[in-house]
Amino acid sequence: MRDAVIVEAVRTPVGKGKPNGSLAQVHPVELLSHTLRTLVERTGIDPALIDPALIDDVIGGTVTQVGEQAVNITRQAVLSAGFPESVPATTVDRQCGSSQQAVHFAAQGVLSGAYDMVVACGVESMGRVPMGSAVLPGTDPFGPGVAGRYPEGLVPQGISAELIAAKWSMTRDQLDDFAVSSHHRAAAAWDAGLFDAQVAPLAGASRDECVRPGSTAEVLGGLKPAFYDPGYAERFPQIEWNITAGNSSPINDGASAVLITSSETAARLGLRPLARLHSFAVTGSDPLLMLTGVIPATEKVLRRASLSLDDIDLFEVNEAFSSVVLAWQQETGADLAKVNVHGGAIAIGHPLGASGTRLTTTLVHAMRDRGARYGLQTMCEAGGLANAMIIESV
């Protein structure tokens, strides 16, 4: 029976998605191509055996596919990386879960026998290609059918995060305390050298730029609500306006990639698997709350894996907002001590299309460092979607 294993996982440092960010001068194609080159180099075996021509496909995730991220950016990155022209590539969009979906597709291709070796990756340069810029002025990306189904209108993610905080009765202190923990965990991981093996320095940047080791609840408590709107306040009187820039993920630039093959192919090429891709799930959820799909996705992937929550040693739950992870924790009962143990997107950053494989990279390395057997990764996504997967140490 075929399996699918990760044999290498790398990422760039995550930069601020602003003109003065550490990666702001790097074209997004070059962000991804640097990661692809590093991925192959770090396999650590004879280049003659791991000729990139052996790669059957490169599947990349990018959310804002316009401007410098248009025209199948993954293909351009493959060419820029110096891979043979015969290596194909495609770019997928499942919003924030785009590169996690790339991992699902890649692993499913290996399991089916369609691929022997494939790269799943992702990139987003939010400083150069701003979020939302794919929607042209004056256009409607939803259409009349969606408008008819949701006559009061859907809402931006920040409002969804507020609705989640209200529904699960979260206080501002709870949200800020979680965010502070994310920064402290990420800072501790950097100081302990736990990110060194996974990060590919670029353009003088060697560390994640948004991690704030000195973050405190007192400092975050002074921030104003980020998404207050009088119209939404009237529509949703239950909102207490506790979501701020401090308990939300920032805007970022970055890229990440994982190399996936079968155990048989890995053995033939002398590659040491880091983890086996065990089970997958994807689900839809209420597009108004939008970000709660991680709850049913977690239930679904555990059921498919015939595992319980107690079997999972480490979790990676994307920190789009503190409220997302805390609602997931309340519903699942997971131990927060096992969740995002090296910090999450609130501290490390959330470069949209790159975040899925960034979480995978962080998870497989954390599992190796801690001797964990099972890890579960899940991500909320715009439109009311979520991906979840379980990986197993080998």
Side-chain angles (χ1 to χ4, degrees):
M1 181 177 177
R2 287 177 67 93
D3 64 359
V5 296
I6 295 172
V7 294
E8 189 56 83
V10 301
R11 66 178 181 91
T12 66
V14 178
K16 294 179 181 177
K18 299 180 179 180
N20 63 347
S22 60
L23 299 176
Q25 303 309 310
V26 182
H27 193 288
V29 169
E30 298 310 304
L31 275 177
L32 186 53
S33 67
H34 171 73
T35 311
L36 295 176
R37 280 192 299 271
T38 306
L39 183 74
V40 173
E41 291 167 358
R42 289 191 180 178
T43 57
I45 67 168
D46 185 347
L49 296 177
I50 192 69
D51 185 329
L54 292 174
I55 297 172
D56 292 303
D57 206 352
V58 180
I59 306 172
T62 302
V63 173
T64 309
Q65 297 182 29
V66 68
E68 292 180 343
Q69 295 180 165
V71 199
N72 190 5
I73 184 174
T74 312
R75 172 60 172 170
Q76 313 315 319
V78 164
L79 296 174
S80 176
F83 287 15
E85 293 175 349
S86 60
V87 176
T90 190
T91 306
V92 300
D93 173 9
R94 202 187 285 277
Q95 295 295 279
C96 296
S98 295
S99 57
Q100 179 166 344
Q101 184 61 59
V103 174
H104 289 211
F105 284 154
Q108 289 157 358
V110 171
L111 289 167
S112 71
Y115 297 139
D116 287 321
M117 181 176 289
V118 58
V119 173
C121 58
V123 64
E124 203 84 32
S125 179
M126 299 176 75
R128 297 174 69 104
V129 186
M131 182 169 55
S133 57
V135 180
L136 299 178
T139 64
D140 172 17
F142 300 105
V146 172
R149 183 168 182 174
Y150 302 96
E152 294 185 356
L154 298 175
V155 300
Q157 286 194 30
I159 302 301
S160 293
E162 288 280 11
L163 290 170
I164 292 167
K167 181 175 180 178
W168 276 271
S169 302
M170 297 172 197
T171 67
R172 173 69 179 271
D173 287 346
Q174 287 176 306
L175 298 170
D176 287 348
D177 286 346
F178 181 83
V180 168
S181 174
S182 183
H183 284 283
H184 290 178
R185 288 180 175 190
W190 271 113
D191 291 345
L194 299 178
F195 288 141
D196 293 349
Q198 63 186 261
V199 170
L202 175 64
S206 58
R207 289 176 70 105
D208 300 318
E209 194 174 11
C210 290
V211 177
R212 297 188 296 274
S215 182
T216 66
E218 290 73 23
V219 170
L220 295 191
L223 297 176
K224 296 180 179 180
F227 303 102
Y228 176 78
D229 178 277
Y232 288 124
E234 182 177 358
R235 180 179 170 186
F236 303 112
Q238 71 270 36
I239 289 179
E240 296 183 352
W241 304 105
N242 286 327
I243 305 298
T244 71
N247 54 46
S248 308
S249 57
I251 292 171
N252 297 102
D253 305 334
S256 53
V258 298
L259 184 61
I260 298 171
T261 186
S262 66
S263 291
E264 180 182 357
T265 302
R268 176 167 55 85
L269 297 175
L271 299 170
R272 182 175 67 87
L274 296 173
R276 180 170 72 93
L277 290 146
H278 188 289
S279 300
F280 311 91
V282 62
T283 189
S285 63
D286 178 358
L288 186 66
L289 288 177
M290 193 185 311
L291 309 172
T292 59
V294 290
I295 298 166
T298 297
E299 297 170 355
K300 189 175 182 179
V301 78
L302 286 169
R303 186 168 61 251
R304 286 189 169 176
S306 297
L307 296 171
S308 72
L309 199 76
D310 291 339
D311 292 318
I312 307 301
D313 300 297
L314 295 175
F315 299 88
E316 283 289 327
V317 184
N318 193 43
E319 295 174 1
F321 303 91
S322 290
S323 58
V324 172
V325 185
L326 293 177
W328 171 88
Q329 187 277 330
Q330 285 189 40
E331 291 297 315
T332 63
D335 182 355
L336 281 177
K338 298 180 179 180
V339 180
N340 303 348
V341 293
H342 293 162
I346 288 173
I348 295 171
H350 183 15
L352 303 184
S355 288
T357 37
R358 197 284 294 168
L359 264 68
T360 305
T361 297
T362 299
L363 181 57
V364 296
H365 284 277
M367 289 175 64
R368 181 195 61 186
D369 293 341
R370 291 171 176 248
R373 180 177 181 184
Y374 290 113
L376 188 153
Q377 173 181 328
T378 187
M379 300 188 69
C380 61
E381 300 148 7
L385 299 166
N387 283 63
M389 67 180 182
I390 293 172
I391 63 177
E392 181 182 10
S393 292
V394 292

